[in-house]
């Protein structure tokens, strides 16, 4: 009925380096103009881990996108660890850890992560809702020699408590631009999942230096989905973070 909505906003991100391994990350969005509404409530029969998106876009149009403490370190030359606690993304906070085994000079790697995640309140402040879940995955990665294509396979439990697997592929170009696609199948039936049948979408990473006359490592990352549902959903940006 209303296929196109818009928002104009300012987003500021910051990192405070507390030590060689420890960083405090934050991101805040300030709304300038939008036409979001909640006229179409979620009809999901699953825990509404993503389908209440319109509530976050209206009540949390200006809010804290993330605010978390992160520790990154290499335990060995081929074993890397990432741990984090806080507001890790727009809809969830919690605590978690990721381990990556990547032998030097090899095209393959294995990893795993486990998280305790609690759903954030709609205004995107420091409040939380009642829902919490343990989510985690084991992963396998492969960097192919063809066209800079990289692949990931993840098997585990998702935010709605469903279990299954995700497959993703990305291609990174020499200028830093990256594009990819993914899909997820879990033990949620197509009927319970709702419109779309299963989670799928596209990944884009756009380097800022392509748009500005300066040299910077900053980039804009987004995921494009045909529809927001609750099955097969992961913590955004957390699975395979060390590898990608």
């Amino acid at each position: 009925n209303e296929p196109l909505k818009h928002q104009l906003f300012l987003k500021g991100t910051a990192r405070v380096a507390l030590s060689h391994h420890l960083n405090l990350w934050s991101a805040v969005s300030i709304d300038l103009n939008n036409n979001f509404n909640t006229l179409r409530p979620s009809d999901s029969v699953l825990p509404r881990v993503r389908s209440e998106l319109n509530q976050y876009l209206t009540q949390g149009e200006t809010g804290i996108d993330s605010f978390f403490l992160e520790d990154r370190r290499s335990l060995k030359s081929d074993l890397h660890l990432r741990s984090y606690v806080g507001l890790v993304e727009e809809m969830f906070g919690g605590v978690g850890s990721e381990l990556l085994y990547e032998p030097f000079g090899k095209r393959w790697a294995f990893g795993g992560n486990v998280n305790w995640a609690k759903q954030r309140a709609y205004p995107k402040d420091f409040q939380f809702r009642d829902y919490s879940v343990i989510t985690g995955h084991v992963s396998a990665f492969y960097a192919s020699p063809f066209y800079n294509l990289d692949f990931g396979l993840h098997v585990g439990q998702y935010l709605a408590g469903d279990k299954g697997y995700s497959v993703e592929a990305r291609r990174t170009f020499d200028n830093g631009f990256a594009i990819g696609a993914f899909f997820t199948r879990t033990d949620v039936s197509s009927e319970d999942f709702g419109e779309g049948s299963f989670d799928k979408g596209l990944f884009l990473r756009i380097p800022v230096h392509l748009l500005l006359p300066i040299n910077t490592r900053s980039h804009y990352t987004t995921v494009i989905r045909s529809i927001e549902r609750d099955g097969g959903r992961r913590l955004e940006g957390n699975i395979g973070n060390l590898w990608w």
Side-chain angles (χ1 to χ4, degrees), residues 199-219:
D199 188 52
K200 50 193 171 294
L202 300 175
F203 167 86
L204 289 174
R205 185 181 66 203
I206 305 171
V208 175
H209 73 79
L210 296 180
L211 309 174
L212 299 175
I214 59 174
N215 187 19
T216 173
R217 296 179 63 186
S218 300
H219 58 268

Side-chain angles (χ1 to χ4, degrees), residues 5-190:
K5 293 293 183 182
H6 77 268
Q7 181 184 30
L8 180 65
F9 64 96
L10 297 175
K11 184 172 183 177
T13 62
R15 177 185 68 129
V16 178
L18 303 177
S19 72
H20 184 65
H21 301 289
L22 197 62
N23 292 282
L24 180 65
W25 293 91
S26 65
V28 175
S29 291
I30 300 174
D31 179 70
L32 299 180
N33 181 266
N34 78 78
N35 64 345
F36 299 138
N37 61 57
T38 56
L39 297 178
R40 298 183 66 181
S42 170
D43 61 354
S44 179
V45 299
L46 301 174
R48 296 179 179 179
V49 295
R50 297 297 187 193
S51 60
E52 296 284 15
L53 174 64
N54 282 354
Q55 298 288 348
Y56 288 94
L57 293 175
T58 52
Q59 299 187 45
E61 56 189 8
T62 292
I64 302 169
D65 293 339
S66 63
F67 186 79
F68 63 94
L69 196 64
E70 178 191 59
D71 182 270
R72 287 175 181 258
R73 62 183 66 221
S74 294
L75 305 178
K76 295 181 178 180
S77 61
D78 55 6
L79 193 62
H80 314 286
L81 177 67
R82 173 178 179 255
S83 303
Y84 37 88
V85 60
L87 308 178
V88 295
E89 53 140 283
E90 294 184 8
M91 297 188 191
F92 280 89
V95 58
S97 189
E98 178 185 8
L99 191 67
L100 177 70
Y101 173 66
E102 183 181 22
F104 178 77
K106 300 296 184 182
R107 292 189 173 273
W108 52 268
F110 293 101
N113 73 91
V114 62
N115 309 274
W116 176 80
K118 190 170 180 64
Q119 192 170 30
R120 297 179 59 187
Y122 298 144
K124 293 200 305 188
D125 50 20
F126 290 99
Q127 303 298 311
F128 290 88
R129 295 172 57 79
D130 291 336
Y131 183 78
S132 63
V133 65
I134 298 293
T135 176
H137 293 78
V138 293
S139 302
F141 305 96
Y142 179 67
S144 83
F146 307 106
Y147 304 108
N148 289 330
L149 282 169
D150 299 320
F151 299 91
L153 170 66
H154 317 289
V155 180
Q157 178 163 292
Y158 295 80
L159 287 173
D162 48 336
K163 300 176 177 65
Y165 65 92
S166 298
V167 177
E168 55 186 331
R170 301 184 189 181
R171 182 181 181 185
T172 303
F173 295 85
D174 291 341
N175 60 9
F177 177 82
I179 186 171
F182 65 88
F183 72 88
T184 298
R185 300 306 300 260
T186 71
D187 54 4
V188 172
S189 67
S190 297

